[in-house]
Amino acid sequence: MTEQSTIERFRYRIRRDASGAWGWLRDRMDSRPRFRLLVIGLAIILAVLVLAWAALARGLPDASGLVDYETPLPTVVRGTDGEIVHSYARERRVQLQFTDFPQPLINAYLSAEDKTFFSHGGVDLTGTANAVFDYVTKLGSGERAVGGSTITQQVAKNLLLGDEYSVTRKLKEMILARRIESVLEKEQILELYLNEIPLGRRSFGVQAASRAYFDRDVGELELHQIAFLAILPKAPERYGRSQNEELALTRRNFVLDQMVANDFVSEQEASAAKAMSLGLVTQRSTRSADAGYFLEEVRRQLIDLYGETAEDGPNSVYAGGLWIRTSLDMELQEAARDALRKGLSRYHGTRGFAGALATVNPDNGDLISQLRSSNLSINYEDLVIAVVTEKSGSSATVGLTNGETHRLGRVPDSLDVGDVIAVRKSGSGYSIGIVPEVSGGFLAQNPQTGRILAMQGGFDSRLGAFNRATQAQRQPGSTIKPFVYSTGLDHGLTPASEVPDEQFCYYQGSRLGEKCFTNFGGGRGGGTHTMRWGLEQSRNLMTVHIAMDSGMENVIDTFERVGIGSYEPFPAFALGAGDTTVEKMVSAYSALVNHGKKIEPSVIDYIQDRRGKVIWRSDNRNCDRCNMDEWDGQPMPRFGARGEQVMDARTAFQTVHMMQGVITRGTATRLRALDIPLFGKTGTTSGPTNAWFVGGSPQIVAGMYLGHDTPRNLGGWVQGGNTAAPMFLDFVRASKGRWDGDQFVAPSGVRMVKVDRRTGKRVFDGTPSDGPDASVIWEAFKPDTVPPRSTRADEIKAMREQIIEQIRAGRALQEGAGLGQGRSDEPSDFVEDQGGIY
């Protein structure tokens, strides 16, 4: 018999049997009315079920999307040494592969949630029947029935449907579970479940929960801890609370019994586990460096690049699972933080209570709850944050974030209910802690790469996110002068050129009239001096003369090229009257050290996606021939030069070389005690309202300022040399091992010539010295600008001018004392008498 005839015979039999069955059904329906009603009823029920299934299934999510599903993961941040320093997370999530889960953990979840997982097709009919029965018995009671969901159904609920409590959701869950089983292997489903299940304490997945409850990785858990994690899917917020420990123990022991019943553990192992306490941790160890301002700057840049949440794209900050390598150097960061805090506290001195750190409104409810939700805190010595809950006369009651309340005695009259203050333990009680009202910013950078190594934008980032290192617009004062001098060097002057230190006036127009500049303190100067001396002593009048002789438009152009800012071509801006930031000033000084090449400052080195692929890097230089399959016999390929040449390399070195004299014998001589090659410049703005120092070594450039957020007078004795420079001194001393003492290297085209320090004339006798009293020094010149040899008459003239200057200074001091303008508490070793702006 052929195959075709067999098929035809089979079809004939089907038609015959179907026709006979239909005839039998029709005869029964005609002869038996009850049977007819039964058939019609079943048909209606079947039609309703089909229509209901179609209605439920029509709008369901596509289960095949789970094949490429990616767990929302936090972004992990590493420091310059590769160590994890922080993570950006609103939920605790860690993604593991199936092979990473310990088998006892899998067994515990199967015993607790779905022991037939590997045999059913997505829905456990027995469990579903039990759930239906429980639902019917509890109908109208307000109690929630048991779920009866398989692990696959829970995956459908958690990832595709949501947690709505309804029969409709349960039916949709069952449909989706069948679909999920058709597109994913059992191991893939279990991997999704163990990574996504919500387990309390803001943790999703077993690894995150293991850290949250036990501060351990899943591979380090013991049996009783594994069993505890397996009870959490039922009621994570109930079982995870200390007051429900007995409930948790009962449920945990039930899971252990189920593991015994399923032959996953022995009776002895289960008994030993039952004897153990829960052992939950109240506080888990965190991997977060005390670098809040730096890390917030990284977060801000990441959000600008990729967005904040999963809706913004696959690489978002809070869901993309990015790995960020930053330039954060924790040794330098801690040194910068401590140096700024010490400087602010040193200025604050014994002024006492500086006012409330913040205020919460008593009309808005419980003050302690408001304090908790404010996220204000402090990490300094033994201080903690508190809110004033009651005030009575000279005493007050404060509440801490942990709910404790304490009485304070002898509180300031200005203190009021709702004020947030810092307090510290004092004997058996608490007393008010002092946080300086004055603030400031500090930033350190590698001048060769532009990498920001440390950033402190205030006393403590937990008290406020405003970053004074990058966001505060402040007048830089005399720290801007090196760029005026560098403009002069580009327009024919040399470090040895003589510049008048005399009053400078210019006509501003018929409405404003004539404007005259003076040195700091009102001095009109006198005589002529070398450019070097003018920069070392921060002479305003000499700076204005250089700026006007070089052209203010050219000076402003220099400011713009190095990135300080863009201003109108008015002489006041040559003395630091325009606003800028610490970051911009440090970047500009780094360009000087880097032989005139400006590299944009960066806090992120590179970004990797969750799979480790680099998707962004700050250094975008190409390296030709770096990826060859084999060596071609040619020299090793190298990266090209980095940065933009914004200044003549020779000019940049000349400026740095002059600023080394600021440390040796100028306005920052207190830094001479460090005994390493340094350059820098102090700055003080009129008032004074800001005190600055910017400088460093060939490897590290740092900048800092001190001032009130709303600028106001700091006190007549405050200047950069005695207020900001000591911060840099503390910074270097705290990180002394990072300062190797390398000298600043001159670029090609610079000639080092022996000159008389006072006259700037070339000399052939004597040995140059870096000492503060040296008469002969090395000076840097461009080849065609070397000065002629000095004569004996020049030396006599220089000595005479020095004596006259000393006499004038002495007379000015006596006149100031006679007019009652002196300060008995002014530091006797203060040398910056010519800084800041007019």
Side-chain angles (χ1 to χ4, degrees), residues 485 488-489 491-500 528-534 542 546 658 758-761 779 781 785 787:
Y485 280 68
L489 293 172
H491 288 81
L493 297 177
T494 76
S497 296
E498 292 195 338
V499 178
T528 59
H529 303 277
T530 63
M531 275 186 70
R532 167 178 285 279
W533 186 87
M542 293 179 66
I546 293 170
M658 285 191 292
R758 293 181 178 85
T759 66
K761 298 295 181 65
E779 192 60 273
F781 294 93
T785 64

Side-chain angles (χ1 to χ4, degrees), residues 118-130:
F118 282 101
S119 60
H120 64 63
V123 179
D124 182 1
L125 296 180
T126 303
T128 302
N130 290 335

Side-chain angles (χ1 to χ4, degrees), residues 190-265:
L190 198 53
E191 179 182 306
L192 279 173
Y193 174 76
L194 294 175
N195 277 324
E196 291 291 332
I197 187 72
L199 298 173
R201 295 195 180 184
R202 296 190 303 112
S203 59
F204 289 77
V206 294
Q207 168 62 18
S210 179
R211 275 285 168 191
Y213 289 99
F214 300 111
D215 202 17
R216 293 185 179 186
D217 294 324
V218 289
E220 302 171 334
L221 294 177
E222 298 177 25
L223 180 58
H224 70 283
Q225 296 168 326
I226 286 173
F228 172 80
L229 292 185
I231 75 173
L232 292 175
K234 295 295 183 187
E237 296 304 329
R238 181 195 304 170
Y239 293 135
R241 297 181 184 276
S242 58
Q243 59 264 37
N244 298 326
E245 183 174 353
E246 288 303 319
L247 285 174
L249 285 170
T250 301
R251 179 66 183 173
R252 183 198 68 179
N253 293 343
F254 168 77
V255 171
L256 289 168
D257 289 337
Q258 292 298 109
M259 294 182 74
V260 172
N262 294 328
D263 293 327
F264 290 142
V265 297

Side-chain angles (χ1 to χ4, degrees), residues 133-417:
F133 177 78
D134 191 62
Y135 179 80
V136 172
T137 58
K138 291 179 178 177
L139 199 62
S141 67
E143 294 183 58
R144 184 161 182 159
V146 297
S149 297
T150 64
I151 283 177
T152 311
Q153 287 176 264
Q154 292 184 58
V155 170
K157 177 184 71 173
N158 293 332
L159 300 185
L160 300 175
L161 288 176
D163 197 25
E164 177 193 356
Y165 181 61
S166 66
V167 174
T168 302
R169 194 266 296 166
K170 181 63 68 174
L171 293 173
K172 290 180 179 179
E173 186 182 287
M174 295 170 69
I175 296 171
L176 276 176
R178 297 289 297 175
R179 293 180 179 179
I180 291 172
E181 292 274 350
S182 69
V183 297
L184 294 179
E185 300 292 333
K186 287 288 188 179
E187 289 77 7
Q188 293 175 301
I189 297 170
L190 198 53
E191 179 182 306
L192 279 173
Y193 174 76
L194 294 175
N195 277 324
E196 291 291 332
I197 187 72
L199 298 173
R201 295 195 180 184
R202 296 190 303 112
S203 59
F204 289 77
V206 294
Q207 168 62 18
S210 179
R211 275 285 168 191
Y213 289 99
F214 300 111
D215 202 17
R216 293 185 179 186
D217 294 324
V218 289
E220 302 171 334
L221 294 177
E222 298 177 25
L223 180 58
H224 70 283
Q225 296 168 326
I226 286 173
F228 172 80
L229 292 185
I231 75 173
L232 292 175
K234 295 295 183 187
E237 296 304 329
R238 181 195 304 170
Y239 293 135
R241 297 181 184 276
S242 58
Q243 59 264 37
N244 298 326
E245 183 174 353
E246 288 303 319
L247 285 174
L249 285 170
T250 301
R251 179 66 183 173
R252 183 198 68 179
N253 293 343
F254 168 77
V255 171
L256 289 168
D257 289 337
Q258 292 298 109
M259 294 182 74
V260 172
N262 294 328
D263 293 327
F264 290 142
V265 297
S266 66
E267 286 277 6
Q268 292 78 7
E269 290 173 321
S271 296
K274 289 178 182 179
M276 303 293 290
S277 64
L278 291 181
L280 307 183
V281 297
T282 54
Q283 288 186 335
R284 61 186 291 264
S285 60
T286 57
R287 297 174 177 174
S288 184
D290 191 6
Y293 294 105
F294 189 104
L295 296 170
E296 177 59 22
E297 180 65 19
V298 173
R299 190 185 76 95
R300 184 189 63 78
Q301 293 187 19
L302 290 174
I303 289 175
D304 288 344
L305 285 170
Y306 301 117
E308 191 168 356
T309 62
E311 289 73 20
D312 297 319
N315 296 319
S316 63
V317 175
Y318 289 99
L322 303 177
W323 290 85
I324 315 299
R325 177 62 71 91
T326 70
S327 55
L328 177 64
D329 186 310
M330 279 310 303
E331 181 183 1
L332 295 179
Q333 173 63 34
E334 290 175 1
R337 177 200 64 200
D338 294 344
L340 181 63
R341 285 177 171 177
K342 188 175 180 180
L344 299 179
S345 297
R346 186 164 45 226
Y347 169 81
H348 187 82
T350 58
R351 288 179 174 84
F353 181 65
L357 302 174
T359 302
V360 294
N361 191 344
D363 296 334
N364 293 337
D366 183 67
L367 291 171
I368 296 179
S369 297
Q370 290 187 64
L371 180 63
R372 288 196 195 102
S373 61
S374 71
N375 293 321
L376 292 173
S377 63
I378 190 169
N379 181 28
Y380 179 66
E381 296 180 345
D382 57 348
L383 297 183
V384 294
I385 294 298
V387 61
V388 178
T389 57
E390 294 180 20
K391 173 75 181 299
S392 176
S394 61
S395 64
T397 301
V398 295
L400 309 184
T401 54
N402 62 7
E404 295 180 3
T405 58
H406 297 275
R407 196 71 179 166
L408 300 182
R410 300 180 61 186
V411 299
D413 294 337
S414 59
L415 205 62
D416 203 355
V417 173

